[in-house]
Amino acid sequence: MTFFQSLILGIIQGLTEYLPISSSAHLVLVPYLLNWNFPTEQIFPFDVLVQLGTLVAVILYFWKRPGKHCQEFLFGADQQRTL
């Protein structure tokens, strides 16, 4: 897998992660449609790393206010209770 191919797949993963469609399917469909052939030993580790990157990005994005998010989830956004 070249750097360009991994960059394209990473961008597609990032763009489709929050849509109500399977972002993992895009990691299969795009190489198929573009006729990219990857060694089978590279496919699974790449998929895992891309999914892990998405998880880390979400955690970092919400890290500033985890207590507030938990409070809003448990008690609703209108309540002013403290945990």
Side-chain angles (χ1 to χ4, degrees), residues 30-50:
V30 171
Y32 175 77
L33 294 174
L34 296 177
N35 201 23
W36 292 345
N37 295 316
F38 303 131
T40 53
E41 64 270 1
Q42 287 183 355
I43 296 171
F44 180 73
F46 181 80
D47 287 352
V48 170
L49 289 175
V50 169

Side-chain angles (χ1 to χ4, degrees), residues 9-69:
L9 291 175
I11 290 170
I12 290 171
Q13 167 71 18
L15 292 174
T16 60
E17 183 62 35
Y18 297 103
L19 298 175
I21 53 178
S22 174
S23 60
S24 298
H26 289 90
L27 296 177
V28 174
L29 289 176
V30 171
Y32 175 77
L33 294 174
L34 296 177
N35 201 23
W36 292 345
N37 295 316
F38 303 131
T40 53
E41 64 270 1
Q42 287 183 355
I43 296 171
F44 180 73
F46 181 80
D47 287 352
V48 170
L49 289 175
V50 169
Q51 298 292 338
L52 184 61
T54 301
L55 176 64
V56 169
V58 169
I59 289 172
L60 290 176
Y61 180 79
F62 289 109
W63 187 256
K64 295 179 184 177
R65 302 174 21 183
K68 184 160 176 69
H69 290 297

